Amino acid sequence: MTATSASHPARLLAVLSLLWMGVPTPVQAATHPGQAALVREVARDTGKSPQVLNALLGSATMQQSILDAISRPAEAKPWKDYRPIFLTDKRIDDGIAFYRAHRALLEQVGRQYGVAPQYIVAIVGVETSYGRNTGKYKVLDALVTLGLYYPPRAKFFREQLKELLEMPDNHLAGPIDTLTGSYAGAQGWGQFMPTSIRDFAVDADQDGRIDLRNSLPDIFASVANYFAKHGWVDGGPVAARAQPDAAAQPIMVKDATPQWPLEQLEAWGYAPLQALPPAQPTSLQTLQGPNGPEYWFTFQNFYVITRYNRSPLYAMAVDQLAGAIAAGVGQMDPAR
């Protein structure tokens, strides 16, 4: 301490006060409801800095447009209105061209995972129009909005937000605050949620990073692995039309789980329009088509598609798009 500062203790105190005010606090104040508890959990589980986590979450913005979008999902439409969204001539033609452009890789992945390549193509076709529209929302904004501001599904989306914050850097296409995706926080060509990246995404090109935005091997293998891990049956049926008779027993199903042998549904008045094994485990979906109710037998592979998106409308659209793509590829290349 100099003689000058010692003789002016009030001035010294003022200087020290100014210096203290300039020192950053160890942890930034929470910006969003529930942020403090979330940061504590992530820091405890990963050892990440609470200050860094708070700064990252503080950069996220609650988006009213995201809350609006989740309140009017396309799956709320009847089948007669939902189908034309995805089964357009353009989407089918683009899918055929996409399959042919990436045929070698798609068929290699299909053989490896036991999943028909047209279903991999149909997933990226329905989800992102073959990678052209992967979503405009910041993934962090979407998951903060739905995990911390949307009580009806806060538990699910908070889990996704926590997983995103805990995920190793080499499991993502870039830094968390640069990722974009759907209003629900799904990312990449196949629109994977963070827990799906954790459980099913694959570094197929073996470059040390899972990149669902830029690596076609990673994208295709991750979709195929998702199906395989959920019980896809190689070569198995997905859905087939059923014809009810006048006395058919009404059937209510809560999901697409195959519950009965096909012959049981036949006994209840639903006839298959193609040859199918009588013991095949099946369920029944009733969809509102343009000409009235449509009845469909659905099988294990249909159920697997509903693990990707729980809507039976989604699964039916994927199945029909895959069928149209496979038919188009076959017509253009009949020798194979």
Side-chain angles (χ1 to χ4, degrees):
M1 182 180 296
T2 66
T4 303
S5 62
S7 61
H8 296 87
R11 182 185 301 170
L12 177 60
L13 182 60
V15 170
L16 291 174
S17 297
L18 288 171
L19 290 173
W20 178 83
M21 290 172 64
V23 175
T25 56
V27 178
Q28 178 179 321
T31 303
H32 307 286
Q35 177 175 324
L38 178 62
V39 166
R40 284 196 300 271
E41 293 172 27
V42 175
R44 177 197 66 207
D45 294 347
T46 66
K48 291 184 176 181
S49 160
Q51 188 171 359
V52 171
L53 290 168
N54 272 310
L56 183 61
L57 289 167
S59 71
T61 304
M62 191 281 283
Q63 300 277 359
Q64 182 60 44
S65 60
I66 292 171
L67 297 175
D68 295 340
I70 202 170
S71 69
R72 52 174 190 273
E75 287 77 13
K77 299 177 183 292
W79 175 237
K80 66 182 178 66
D81 297 326
Y82 185 89
R83 186 182 189 278
I85 298 173
F86 299 104
L87 273 294
T88 64
D89 290 343
K90 177 172 173 52
R91 202 180 299 253
I92 293 168
D93 291 344
D94 287 351
I96 294 167
F98 185 88
Y99 187 118
R100 290 174 63 83
H102 305 291
R103 186 170 203 156
L105 176 60
L106 282 163
E107 294 185 352
Q108 180 268 315
V109 170
R111 287 190 298 270
Q112 180 180 351
Y113 290 94
V115 176
Q118 62 265 30
Y119 285 92
I120 302 172
V121 176
I123 286 289
V124 298
V126 168
E127 291 289 348
T128 61
S129 292
Y130 313 104
R132 288 195 295 268
N133 180 19
T134 57
K136 64 181 181 179
Y137 293 99
K138 292 185 68 173
V139 169
L140 189 60
D141 285 355
L143 295 180
V144 164
T145 297
L146 296 174
L148 304 181
Y149 293 91
Y150 186 60
R153 297 197 64 194
K155 180 178 180 181
F156 171 79
F157 285 107
R158 186 185 186 277
E159 178 189 8
Q160 301 303 319
L161 176 58
K162 183 173 183 286
E163 186 60 40
L164 180 71
L165 296 172
E166 294 184 349
M167 193 165 291
D169 292 343
N170 68 348
H171 280 49
L172 297 169
I176 288 176
D177 58 355
T178 68
L179 299 173
T180 57
S182 72
Y183 69 79
Q187 57 192 285
W189 289 31
Q191 295 289 274
F192 272 42
M193 297 297 287
T195 53
S196 293
I197 296 174
R198 178 194 67 197
D199 295 339
F200 307 109
V202 177
D203 176 20
D205 59 14
Q206 299 183 338
D207 66 349
R209 176 178 292 276
I210 295 173
D211 188 345
L212 301 183
R213 183 174 63 192
N214 303 298
S215 169
L216 286 178
D218 291 5
I219 292 163
F220 295 164
S222 295
V223 172
N225 187 51
Y226 191 102
F227 275 23
K229 289 293 179 61
H230 281 87
W232 185 267
V233 178
D234 191 10
V238 178
R241 284 298 292 267
Q243 179 63 51
D245 62 32
Q249 175 179 321
I251 297 174
M252 299 294 293
V253 296
K254 64 178 182 178
D255 59 29
T257 305
Q259 300 179 54
W260 309 279
L262 179 66
E263 58 192 356
Q264 178 63 71
L265 289 174
E266 289 189 75
W268 288 338
Y270 297 88
L273 300 183
Q274 64 189 73
L276 293 165
Q280 179 79 49
T282 187
S283 187
L284 187 77
Q285 293 291 328
T286 304
L287 307 180
Q288 295 304 313
N291 300 312
E294 296 178 5
Y295 299 89
W296 291 86
F297 297 122
T298 60
F299 307 100
Q300 172 65 18
N301 287 349
F302 188 92
Y303 170 79
V304 170
I305 301 173
T306 66
R307 300 306 87 196
Y308 209 97
N309 181 312
R310 294 184 183 275
S311 167
L313 304 182
Y314 175 92
M316 194 65 72
V318 168
D319 181 42
Q320 294 191 7
L321 180 59
I325 290 168
V329 170
Q331 288 172 1
M332 296 175 70
D333 193 3
R336 285 180 63 102

